[in-house]
Amino acid sequence: MSHQLFAKKLFPKLESGKPTFFFLIDNLRYDQWRIINTILTNYYRLDDEDSYYSILPTATQYARNAIFSGLMPLEMEKRYPSLWQNDEDEGGKNLHEEDFIDDQIKRILRKNCKFSYHKILTLDQGRDISENLSNLMSNDLNVLVYNFVDMLSHARTDMAMIRELANDEAAYRSLTLSWFEHSPLLETLKRLSQKNVRVVISTDHGTIKVKHASKVIGDRNTNTNLRYKQGKNLNFIAKDVFHIKNPHEAKLPKLHVSSSFIFAKEDTYFVYPNNYNQFVNYYNETFQHGGISLEEVIIPFITYSTK
């Protein structure tokens, strides 16, 4: 499972004296990794190609927090009551990743590990990291989160131009490759290839192009994600969903006595009956995540060493 990646794959290697750089590229599908790997193998030796399954929901606030904490969402809610944010809570849902990493390292290794955490949201932040790698070389572990691919996915929903550039999976991969070839991330990886480091590339979840709308009804507190819904007294088309009646059985928080989760299967997405046609026209054939499909749940976990 993805929430055990750190402990299983990274921790045993942190005592080797060689810095590990863990790049989590948000929303990176397995096929997208295969495309950027054609460039990376010019600079690195591919040591280990592995894959895992994301937790459900395949949404950033659940899947990425689970990776960095090494815990399932229900366990996080219990262990970090002041840090964990449920769907109905106000504010950002991924604001405490560094705290989760720190706690997991101490909990699993039971010793100090010098690490850094950086979230790269802008071009300038990416350039700053690339130009200041020497400051990170004394750390056992450096965690770098890149949100560009996730932003690309959402931009495709919102911008007609991006829809035209990424109108199918092949074009989506091509656009990802074009970004990577000209990104500060590749520049960072090129510079690291000249040093004695270990590089790990992974993600928190993938994404799928949705094509079939499925009507769902919930109360006003039901979350807005198109691929999963959490709420009270949900009304849905049973054949389109995987229904978890008791969230605790899936190690998910239960906000109310009658709360349950539904996850869209394959290329389905949820639409409310109100303004049905308007939402279908807007979201049909966009890339979404949160539900159950191979594209969303298969997570690449790749280890490289310098040549």
Side-chain angles (χ1 to χ4, degrees), residues 241-256:
V241 313
F242 175 60
H243 184 203
I244 296 179
K245 296 179 181 179
N246 181 4
H248 285 181
E249 292 181 355
K251 297 186 178 180
L252 293 170
K254 186 174 183 178
L255 301 189
H256 308 283

Side-chain angles (χ1 to χ4, degrees), residues 65-82:
N65 281 329
I67 288 175
F68 288 148
S69 68
L71 303 171
M72 292 293 286
L74 179 60
E75 297 169 324
M76 280 185 275
E77 183 185 50
K78 292 178 179 178
R79 186 174 179 86
Y80 316 113
S82 63

Side-chain angles (χ1 to χ4, degrees), residues 275-299:
N275 301 317
Y276 176 85
N277 291 328
Q278 176 184 342
F279 281 100
V280 168
N281 290 335
Y282 187 72
Y283 288 110
N284 198 55
E285 297 197 350
T286 62
F287 287 93
Q288 303 293 333
H289 58 87
I292 303 175
S293 67
L294 289 177
E295 292 87 342
E296 289 165 289
V297 303
I298 293 181
I299 289 179

Side-chain angles (χ1 to χ4, degrees), residues 39-187:
I39 296 178
L40 287 174
T41 49
N42 293 325
Y43 304 96
Y44 290 91
R45 181 183 301 108
L46 196 161
D47 291 335
D48 186 26
E49 177 184 340
D50 210 339
S51 61
Y52 289 78
Y53 295 111
S54 173
I55 69 163
L56 295 177
T58 49
T60 302
Q61 70 193 71
Y62 288 91
R64 199 159 79 198
N65 281 329
I67 288 175
F68 288 148
S69 68
L71 303 171
M72 292 293 286
L74 179 60
E75 297 169 324
M76 280 185 275
E77 183 185 50
K78 292 178 179 178
R79 186 174 179 86
Y80 316 113
S82 63
L83 301 182
W84 172 255
Q85 295 279 303
N86 281 307
D87 281 323
E88 292 184 3
D89 295 328
E90 297 291 333
K93 304 296 192 291
N94 289 85
L95 301 179
H96 305 288
E97 293 168 354
E98 186 172 3
D99 297 312
F100 295 155
I101 299 166
D102 187 33
D103 182 61
Q104 183 179 181
I105 289 173
K106 292 174 180 175
R107 191 175 70 247
I108 303 299
L109 287 184
R110 299 185 181 277
K111 61 185 294 185
N112 290 329
C113 169
K114 189 176 180 183
F115 79 96
S116 71
Y117 166 85
H118 301 272
K119 185 180 294 185
I120 293 87
L121 301 173
T122 67
L123 195 64
D124 287 341
Q125 289 173 338
R127 288 170 177 159
D128 287 343
I129 288 292
S130 181
E131 294 169 2
N132 292 282
L133 289 175
S134 59
N135 296 332
L136 306 179
M137 292 302 296
S138 62
N139 296 328
D140 301 304
L141 173 66
N142 296 290
V143 177
L144 301 104
V145 176
Y146 283 78
N147 270 28
F148 179 82
V149 177
D150 187 59
M151 290 188 288
L152 175 64
S153 171
H154 293 296
R156 192 192 175 282
T157 300
D158 296 330
M159 297 175 61
M161 181 183 69
I162 301 296
R163 286 200 190 206
E164 292 295 324
L165 291 174
N167 62 346
D168 58 24
E169 277 79 359
Y172 192 44
R173 289 191 294 269
S174 179
L175 192 58
T176 303
L177 179 62
S178 179
W179 158 74
F180 184 68
E181 289 177 321
H182 304 283
S183 69
L185 173 56
L186 178 56
E187 185 60 34

